[in-house]
Amino acid sequence: MKKVTVHVTLKQGVLDPQGKAIQTSLNSLGFQEVEEARVGKYIELYIGETEDVEARVKDMCAKLLANPVIEDYEIDLEEAVRS
Amino acid sequence: MKKVTVHVTLKQGVLDPQGKAIQTSLNSLGFQEVEEARVGKYIELYIGETEDVEARVKDMCAKLLANPVIEDYEIDLEEAVRS
């Protein structure tokens, strides 16, 4: 089984209200040094035997995991884990 | 300004309904090889001048960004970015 991690982030320039809320909350909690916060998703996939894992995961991102209009994604293949 | 990234993930053993929904959806879209999916948050913080950034960010995680009862967090300090 392979572990693949996917980071889905908003494209530069897209407003991030959740990030803005985090920044404001941190500021009011006394963390004035926080100038900006951006929030994305982090997805771990455990994938069984298949050919060309990277292409398959790209396809998953395009079809379900990310919204390519406003989001970017980054795929990292990790070493095989548990069998 | 420093960039710090934080990964917030559910602790092992904690049910992840969002991850389960992703796994089921991917399976029914034809990606039968996906055996498990886990979802977490990925937060980018841009932090101005301050002492001991790592300790400050740990404090932010404990107070706002993560729920230490069910979530783990991992902090990565990156190189300084834009001034």
Side-chain angles (χ1 to χ4, degrees):
Chain A
M1 188 151 62
K2 283 202 180 89
K3 179 179 173 182
V4 181
T5 63
V6 179
H7 285 88
V8 180
T9 49
L10 286 169
K11 281 187 203 279
Q12 195 108 34
V14 176
L15 281 181
D16 180 358
Q18 196 186 355
K20 185 69 193 162
I22 286 179
Q23 185 221 317
T24 318
S25 303
L26 286 173
N27 290 161
S28 64
L29 279 172
F31 301 105
Q32 271 89 10
E33 69 269 33
V34 178
E35 300 181 5
E36 197 189 338
R38 307 273 296 170
V39 183
K41 272 174 291 181
Y42 168 69
I43 305 168
E44 290 175 359
L45 298 170
Y46 297 89
I47 297 190
E49 281 312 304
T50 183
E51 274 172 38
D52 201 352
V53 175
E54 189 159 7
R56 294 284 285 173
V57 176
K58 252 188 193 163
D59 208 17
M60 294 176 204
C61 288
K63 285 189 177 150
L64 183 82
L65 303 177
N67 174 355
V69 178
I70 52 165
E71 290 173 330
D72 287 323
Y73 54 85
E74 209 181 292
I75 298 167
D76 293 294
L77 281 83
E78 302 196 6
E79 289 303 298
V81 287
R82 352 172 212 154
S83 57
Chain B
M1 186 150 63
K2 284 201 179 89
K3 179 179 172 184
V4 181
T5 63
V6 180
H7 285 88
V8 180
T9 49
L10 286 169
K11 281 187 204 280
Q12 194 108 35
V14 177
L15 279 182
D16 180 358
Q18 195 186 355
K20 186 70 193 159
I22 286 179
Q23 185 222 316
T24 318
S25 303
L26 285 173
N27 290 162
S28 64
L29 280 171
F31 300 104
Q32 271 89 11
E33 70 268 33
V34 178
E35 299 181 4
E36 197 188 339
R38 306 273 296 169
V39 183
K41 272 175 289 182
Y42 168 70
I43 305 168
E44 290 175 359
L45 298 171
Y46 296 90
I47 297 190
E49 282 312 306
T50 185
E51 274 172 38
D52 201 352
V53 175
E54 189 159 6
R56 294 283 285 173
V57 176
K58 251 188 194 163
D59 208 17
M60 294 176 204
C61 288
K63 285 190 177 151
L64 183 81
L65 302 177
N67 175 353
V69 178
I70 53 165
E71 290 173 329
D72 287 324
Y73 54 85
E74 209 182 292
I75 298 168
D76 293 294
L77 281 83
E78 301 196 5
E79 289 304 299
V81 288
R82 351 171 212 156
S83 58

